[in-house]
Amino acid sequence: MDDLLAEFIAETREMLEASGGEIVAWEADPTDRARIDTIFRFVHTVKGNCGFFDFPRLAKLSHAAEDALADCRAGRREADAALVTAVLAIIDRIAAMVDAIEAGEEFPEGGDEALVAALDVSRETLPEDEPGQVKAGSNPPLHAPADTLLEQTGDSIAPARRAEAAAAQRTIRLPVELLDRVMSGVSDMVLARNDLAHRLRQAGNQPTIDGPFERLTAILTDVRDAITRMRMQRIETLFGVLPRLVRDLSAELGKQVMVDCDGGDVELDREMIETIRDPLTHLIRNAIDHGIEPPSARLAQGKREIGLLAIAARQSGNTIAIVISDDGRGLDEEKIAAKAIATGLITAAERAHMSRDKLLNLIFEPGFSTAETVSNVSGRGVGLDVVRQNLERVGGSIKVTSQPGRGTQFALQIPLTLSIIAGLTVETGGQRFAIPQSYVEEIVQASPAALEFTRMGEAALVTFRGNRIPCLMLAEVLALGEEADAARELTLVLLRLASGDLFALVVDRIHSHGDLVVKPLAPAVMKSGLYAGSTLLDDGQPVLLLDVTSIAAQHDLVSDGRARVLQPLEDETAATADAAPRAMLFTDCGGRRSAVRLELVQRIETTTTAALDRSGGQVRAVIDGVILPLVGLGDTPPPEGKLRLLRLGDGACELLHAVREVEDAVELTGALVAVPEDPLVEALTLVEGQPVALIDAHALFARHGAAPEPLGKRPRCVLPESEWARSILAPLVKAAGYEIVAEADPEAREAVTIMSEDTFEAAEALGRVPAGPVIRLRDHPEERRGAKSIYRYDREALIAALAAARTAGDPRP
Amino acid sequence: MSELLVVIQIAGRRCALSAHDVKSVIELGAVTPVPRTPDFIAGIAALRSQTLTVIDCRRALGLPAAEGPTDDRAAVVASGGHAYALMVDAIEDITTAAGEPGQVPGGFGPEWSRIATGMIETMTGPALLIDLAALIAGPDGQRGEIEAAA
């Protein structure tokens, strides 16, 4: 919602600036039709946009101005100086209000009526003297009349506020070509830096040069990031408005539709997003209006009442694939054929020889519309032919596939003139290749046996999460020879196509992943159909970007019609599995950035070092009266004081992981790269460009996990009967993990007993020394006669004694 | 006509490229091979932030690859919006054309005729003027076009 509002403000302000010149020209000649049209469009747009938001005053003002200008356009009224003045006053008021909205302030009440009335006054009485209010003799400046009106309504502060707000957010528009030039300049700079780095390394350590060089590197990285962001926008900004659109449309049409957007993190040119906005909206309207049946019809056909509309975006080199699929009634082949013959697109003879696919794609021909009744929603004379035209204008394409009664899929392909994509670099046959990250579902490293790798004729299959997945060997795809070693571990990259199909690609090694600037390839190379472009690695080495869709198509792994909506029931469970795993990001005690899967994190705890116990190499800590194994402390003893802990649990066992700092919960969208060298690390991944070690929870629990000690098993302690013991000693003992029991309690037999020296002596004399360990306290700091007693305020010694007593009395090994 | 020409050697023959087409002459560093492409594409190489498609000129003519060492320099040319690096036997000189390209009786032989505009007299002797687009299309280029047209 905030995004929408910011867009509204930016758009309004942009139009205000653009119409500035028009306003001046209009003032000079109020009857100029072209100017009236421009300003009419402005107030009309503002009025329209206001409808989305709750700005009744803005709507009212723009509506009044629009009415007046519409009268002029229709010739019902003459535009004159008075009207110009009144309209300008309204435009200024709109500007002031937009500033106030942006600043989040309340715009002063009142005054609107006077402005609106000024419009009507000028209409009815044409008061010739009104411009006379402007200081006589002066060449009337642009805003003088408007300001006069504003002053009349007691609102002279508005311009000042406007200047203030404008300073807060300033934007300029730049030609994209200029950005391209800057971008390639920065790319060249990065390569020059890398070359320099290489030479510096050869020359050995040179402290005087290394410092500034490091700084240069950091600056370059920043600049590159900034430039990259300049052009790109996540397709999310487009997807964000869709749920609302779908909701409104389905409500209007009496249908129930659930929308599922996937791939919102695909980035593309801002310009391109604008270009596909309308086609996409149109296709969605179409799907809801014509595709998805009313709930009763769906139920009658054994479908779920709620229709599913899925929109998925994938990036592949220089193209973005967007698939819009519904599980509605599908396209009616016969109806399309009849219509096409009726409108003369094809002849009956041609029809007889047409494949279903070809026939369906006739719906994009100009002048084609199958809806019998033109509905309010999708039939506004804008047909699918316009959608196709719009896409083709930017070099894109659209295709439709459909199964009767099961659904329709529209597949859009949109090019990117220049694109930066997140890519994964893999190695096969000693050569590196890049794969667009958006396809990568998962990276798996396992033995062929674990994956049930089987050869079925020429094809290969693996079993992963219970599904048989077709598997391609990249070395074979690229004819790089080298027979795969049957015993060796397989590194699989699971790729999901925009059509929803999943397949695995076997590579030798995973290298890294990062942002890649995709460059086009020469036609002779593109002809192979294997590559989508090339990119330069940081060391300046060119790397080929694989065209995943095309490779899959060459191996018949793409099933046009099999979109995700066709398995709605399986999808529900799959959807949760498909969601990016979430993890808790933290800095461990060694300063390394790590993450642990969020499902494992029970709580974040804070404890004191006093609650720690190191016995037998295993550190334990007491949290809420439960003793749990503590890991992650490292070799360095923790600093005295507070300690942050993550409490991890697998359902049965719990353990604590010491952290220096808890950062945030994040989505692990990056690829997980296995790290076989470190058994406690499941994988390395990237979070916001920084490497993060994902803790291997299985190894952790296998090594350290312990079922939590239930409350009843806590060591017990019997305290002396005194106010001091109850109020001062008891909290300390409890913090050390003990349960306080009364002496008479039968459980007290094994308990640690704390008693004063004197009491102990008395008990000893009477032969009634407690069975369990005893900690003797004395009242004076000085030790007496070498007795084993602790001064009652010697905290450290007391805690140590309690810990020692627990180890001694610990029922566990 | 005093067009500037870059004189190169392909398979031991003197050839000429229009200096207008030659963007630069570079030391060819590491070339990344491109699997599953025609063999006259030696691979891709990087020139600053640009990717060059490296063409082995001998193979583009349909001749066997060079046995001896070739020039480690390559001519960078642009064609159809893409940049190519031409691997040649040697890059000799820059010279001036001394006439219009013409044909010789009997032709240059099928491979050479395909990629040559004609013979051109230069200040340093005659050379075969190369048709860049035909050279880059490779030995199968024409056949491919015929197939596409059919």
Side-chain angles (χ1 to χ4, degrees), chain A residues 538-549:
Chain A
D538 276 350
D539 58 5
Q541 194 195 343
V543 161
L544 291 155
L545 183 74
L546 298 175
D547 185 341
V548 174
T549 312

Side-chain angles (χ1 to χ4, degrees), chain A residues 647-671:
Chain A
R647 185 163 176 175
L648 310 177
D650 65 350
C653 298
E654 286 193 319
L655 56 81
L656 298 166
H657 196 294
V659 299
R660 180 181 292 173
E661 200 180 327
V662 177
E663 285 183 31
D664 201 0
V666 292
E667 265 190 1
L668 294 179
T669 47

Side-chain angles (χ1 to χ4, degrees), chain A residues 458-479:
Chain A
E458 287 297 306
L461 287 173
V462 291
T463 306
F464 185 64
R465 302 233 170 98
N467 291 320
R468 287 211 190 282
I469 298 168
C471 178
L472 294 179
M473 320 298 246
L474 187 56
E476 282 173 21
V477 171
L478 300 176

Side-chain angles (χ1 to χ4, degrees), chain B residues 20-47:
Chain B
H20 182 73
D21 291 333
V22 179
K23 301 293 167 207
S24 59
V25 171
I26 57 160
E27 296 265 335
L28 202 55
V31 177
T32 306
V34 184
R36 299 264 315 262
T37 47
D39 59 4
F40 72 92
I41 296 172
I44 54 172
L47 170 64

Side-chain angles (χ1 to χ4, degrees), chain A residues 11-305:
Chain A
E11 192 189 357
T12 310
R13 187 165 287 149
E14 214 163 78
M15 284 191 300
L16 273 171
E17 277 162 19
S19 57
E22 303 287 330
I23 291 172
V24 177
W26 188 40
E27 206 169 28
D29 178 9
T31 55
D32 187 338
R33 268 305 292 266
R35 311 291 175 228
I36 293 180
D37 284 353
T38 311
I39 293 164
F40 174 78
R41 269 200 299 276
F42 167 68
V43 286
H44 177 76
T45 312
V46 172
K47 191 196 80 172
N49 287 348
C50 287
F52 292 118
F53 305 100
D54 186 24
F55 297 140
R57 292 176 67 195
L58 264 185
K60 201 167 133 205
L61 283 171
S62 46
H63 188 72
E66 187 193 6
D67 280 352
L69 290 170
D71 284 352
C72 292
R73 277 155 56 100
R76 287 194 293 271
R77 170 177 191 181
E78 276 300 307
D80 52 32
L83 177 73
V84 172
T85 308
V87 170
L88 289 190
I90 284 181
I91 290 178
D92 278 0
R93 174 60 70 104
I94 289 171
M97 278 183 175
V98 167
D99 290 340
I101 289 164
E102 191 187 20
E105 292 165 21
E106 203 59 38
F107 196 77
E109 279 296 326
D112 296 353
E113 291 71 20
L115 293 174
V116 174
L119 279 173
D120 291 337
V121 167
S122 68
R123 168 195 226 157
E124 283 153 16
T125 64
L126 300 174
E128 289 301 321
D129 56 342
E130 209 188 328
Q133 288 180 354
V134 180
K135 285 164 207 86
S138 65
N139 206 359
L142 168 57
H143 288 302
D147 284 350
T148 319
L149 265 176
L150 281 177
E151 270 158 36
Q152 284 170 3
T153 60
D155 192 2
S156 53
I157 49 155
R161 180 180 296 151
R162 179 185 175 177
E164 213 172 86
Q169 190 191 24
R170 284 200 313 221
T171 57
I172 54 166
R173 295 196 142 213
L174 290 171
V176 169
E177 181 242 350
L178 178 66
L179 287 181
D180 278 351
R181 254 171 56 202
V182 176
M183 180 110 200
S184 77
V186 171
S187 295
D188 283 353
M189 265 155 76
V190 170
L191 292 170
R193 185 218 78 93
N194 293 337
D195 190 22
L196 189 60
H198 186 67
R199 278 156 211 253
L200 283 178
R201 265 200 307 277
Q202 283 177 335
N205 241 7
Q206 290 162 81
T208 49
I209 298 173
D210 288 353
F213 183 73
E214 282 305 312
R215 216 168 68 227
L216 175 77
T217 304
I219 294 168
L220 253 179
T221 312
D222 275 3
V223 171
R224 190 154 78 147
D225 281 357
I227 303 255
T228 307
R229 277 208 309 276
M230 272 187 202
R231 285 180 55 107
M232 307 306 264
Q233 201 167 24
R234 281 170 168 232
I235 204 166
E236 239 165 32
T237 54
L238 190 55
F239 284 179
V241 297
L242 297 182
R244 178 65 196 269
L245 177 82
V246 170
R247 197 199 75 99
D248 291 355
L249 282 178
S250 46
E252 196 177 318
L253 294 164
K255 297 179 180 178
Q256 292 184 21
V257 184
M258 195 166 76
V259 65
D260 169 27
C261 295
D262 182 36
D265 54 351
V266 168
E267 289 195 325
L268 69 166
D269 263 42
R270 282 166 214 271
E271 235 180 309
M272 206 54 87
I273 287 192
E274 288 313 311
T275 317
I276 62 171
R277 190 185 293 271
D278 285 346
L280 201 62
T281 314
H282 187 82
L283 289 172
I284 290 168
R285 285 172 188 278
N286 248 322
I288 298 172
D289 196 9
H290 304 314
I292 290 173
E293 314 91 324
S296 54
R298 290 184 63 88
L299 283 175
Q301 289 174 37
K303 293 186 190 179
R304 287 198 308 167
E305 220 174 335

